């Protein structure tokens, strides 16, 4: 049974244990989560000026809109302020900064009325992040940048927590994705031709859970939960932030949610930064997650991307 737990006083270790069982946590905005969303809004409003970001899609051709996102999203992802605010948020919610590692926060956009659903505004089909080489101890953090409504939020599909789905994750390798597909997102305007893991059988979207929280509110769910982008019919673009965390002890012991249907190769663990000092996970802890050797050219491309 999946529970939805609001503003829990649970310590991080207990929270992670419950998340790995499929439970969900929602927190009211904190000082750092508000500041993070305000920072994202400031950058977005500057990038889309003179248009209001949530309405800009109605004033711009798709190609120009995608060009704005091509500059805006990396600016937010790699800005030191984004990392500093993530560090503050993790501390406010009781994480041990010496053991908690996070990946860089993504600024996501979900446009209304199918204006742009590929590439930099990709509308995610129902999936588990563990199909994309995420470790099973990964926890997803999701925050709305502007107000959201049920017609433009995130959907979770709890029916599939312990029900396997036939899927194409067997064909996905994270290192190959970094080499061949990640950099081409801005070119995917009319449709997205990049090969990504998908269900290979019909998915029942209902029952589904749509959590509507305040701007800066925080939704936590395990990477193994099936989730998707709600088809946006709200009349304005949804802006949201997501990032992921892993705990050092859980990486060491391979703790986490159960694997019931993921067959991908490679791992995202080299993306993670320690919250206390932004150092990376030790290579000897990552190596057991490498399920196949890395081709030399893939390693070179991957390492080059990490320095950007």
């Amino acid at each position: 049974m999946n529970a939805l737990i609001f503003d829990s006083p649970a310590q991080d270790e207990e929270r992670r244990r419950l998340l790995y069982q499929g439970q969900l946590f929602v927190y009211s905005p904190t000082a750092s989560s508000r500041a993070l969303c305000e920072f994202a809004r400031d950058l977005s409003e500057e990038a889309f000026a003179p248009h209001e970001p949530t309405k800009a899609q109605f004033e711009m051709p798709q190609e120009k809109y995608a060009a704005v996102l091509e500059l805006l999203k990396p600016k937010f992802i790699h800005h030191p302020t984004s990392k500093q605010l993530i560090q503050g948020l993790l501390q406010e919610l009781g994480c041990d900064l010496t053991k908690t590692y996070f990946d860089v926060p993504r600024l996501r956009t979900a446009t209304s009325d199918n204006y742009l659903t590929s590439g930099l505004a990709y509308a995610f089909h129902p999936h588990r992040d563990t199909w994309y080489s995420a470790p099973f101890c990964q926890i997803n953090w999701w925050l709305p940048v502007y107000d959201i409504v049920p017609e433009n939020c995130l959907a979770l599909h709890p029916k599939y927590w312990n029900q396997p789905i036939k899927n194409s994750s067997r064909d996905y390798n994270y290192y190959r994705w970094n080499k061949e597909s990640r950099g081409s997102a801005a070119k995917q305007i009319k449709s997205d031709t990049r090969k990504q893991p998908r269900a290979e059988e019909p998915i029942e979207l209902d029952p589904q859970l749509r959590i509507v929280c305040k701007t800066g509110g925080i939704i936590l769910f395990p990477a193994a939960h099936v989730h998707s982008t709600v088809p946006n019919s709200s009349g304005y673009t949804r802006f949201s932030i997501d990032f992921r965390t892993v705990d050092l002890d859980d990486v060491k012991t391979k703790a986490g949610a159960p694997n019931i249907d993921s067959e991908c190769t490679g791992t995202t663990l080299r993306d993670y930064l320690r919250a206390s000092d932004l150092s990376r996970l030790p290579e000897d802890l990552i190596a057991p997650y490498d399920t196949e050797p890395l081709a030399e050219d893939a390693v070179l491309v991957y390492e080059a991307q990490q320095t950007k």
Side-chain angles (χ1 to χ4, degrees):
M1 179 178 179
N2 299 120
L4 185 57
I5 305 169
F6 290 89
D7 288 330
S8 171
Q11 298 297 307
D12 185 52
E13 184 176 1
E14 173 67 4
R15 180 171 61 205
R16 298 196 317 274
R17 185 185 69 81
L18 292 171
L19 283 161
Y20 299 154
Q21 294 175 2
Q23 316 308 341
L24 309 170
F25 286 76
V26 180
Y27 290 91
S28 300
T30 68
S32 293
S33 72
R34 288 192 187 96
L36 182 63
C37 291
E38 288 170 4
F39 181 61
R41 288 199 299 271
D42 288 344
L43 292 183
S44 300
E45 289 162 11
E46 178 184 7
F48 281 103
H51 308 300
E52 201 280 317
T54 64
K55 290 291 187 179
Q57 67 170 88
F58 301 109
E59 306 292 336
M60 304 169 67
Q62 290 175 317
E63 291 77 9
K64 187 175 180 180
Y65 191 94
V68 171
L69 294 183
E70 187 177 11
L71 297 177
L72 168 63
K73 292 194 171 187
K75 185 176 183 179
F76 175 80
I77 287 171
H78 298 294
H79 202 290
T81 298
S82 298
K83 296 182 180 71
Q84 291 166 5
L85 293 170
I86 293 291
Q87 291 169 305
L89 171 55
L90 294 174
Q91 187 169 35
E92 288 165 347
L93 289 189
C95 297
D96 182 341
L97 300 191
T98 66
K99 291 185 176 183
T100 302
Y101 288 71
F102 68 95
D103 68 351
V104 290
R106 267 70 174 184
L107 179 62
R108 309 284 189 183
T109 48
T111 61
S112 187
D113 305 300
N114 293 312
Y115 167 78
L116 185 65
T117 59
S118 58
L120 290 166
Y122 191 76
F124 279 94
H125 49 275
H127 68 284
R128 307 184 203 273
D129 280 8
T130 52
W131 293 353
Y132 290 76
S133 306
F136 288 87
C137 60
Q138 176 181 295
I139 295 168
N140 293 6
W141 301 60
W142 194 94
L143 304 81
V145 174
Y146 294 89
D147 289 340
I148 56 172
V149 293
E151 292 76 24
N152 70 358
C153 62
L154 172 80
L156 292 114
H157 308 281
K159 171 182 177 178
Y160 294 101
W161 172 251
N162 55 10
Q163 180 174 322
I165 301 169
K166 185 180 179 183
N167 67 86
S168 61
S169 62
R170 74 187 79 86
D171 300 323
Y172 184 85
N173 176 269
Y174 186 60
Y175 311 127
R176 187 164 59 244
W177 169 264
N178 275 310
K179 178 186 176 184
E180 300 173 357
S181 300
R182 169 166 276 172
S184 64
K187 300 176 183 178
Q188 313 289 318
I189 305 295
K190 301 298 182 181
S191 62
D192 205 309
T193 60
R194 298 172 298 171
K195 191 173 184 179
Q196 303 193 49
R198 288 181 173 272
E200 295 179 323
E201 61 178 291
I203 295 288
E204 296 181 12
L205 297 180
D206 293 317
Q208 62 179 273
L209 179 63
R210 301 184 182 188
I211 304 171
V212 179
C213 58
K214 295 180 179 179
T215 297
I218 307 147
I219 301 170
L220 271 67
F221 60 96
H225 246 310
V226 176
H227 57 287
S228 64
T229 302
V230 169
N232 189 347
S233 59
S234 67
Y236 57 91
T237 301
R238 186 203 80 205
F239 283 72
S240 61
I241 296 167
D242 61 75
F243 65 95
R244 292 98 173 180
T245 57
V246 296
D247 180 82
L248 181 65
D249 292 338
D250 294 344
V251 173
K252 287 179 179 178
T253 61
K254 286 200 169 185
N259 180 8
I260 61 173
D261 60 15
S262 297
E263 301 178 80
C264 48
T265 54
T267 179
T268 62
L269 280 173
R270 290 182 180 84
D271 292 349
Y272 285 84
L273 306 170
R274 186 160 63 176
S276 60
D277 60 7
L278 302 184
S279 63
R280 297 195 179 273
L281 278 159
E283 186 63 28
D284 64 316
L285 295 184
I286 298 174
Y289 290 81
D290 277 329
T291 48
E292 66 177 35
L294 285 67
E296 184 177 357
D297 58 347
V299 174
L300 292 174
V301 170
Y302 185 84
E303 290 179 345
Q305 288 176 335
Q306 299 313 301
T307 63
K308 292 182 180 179

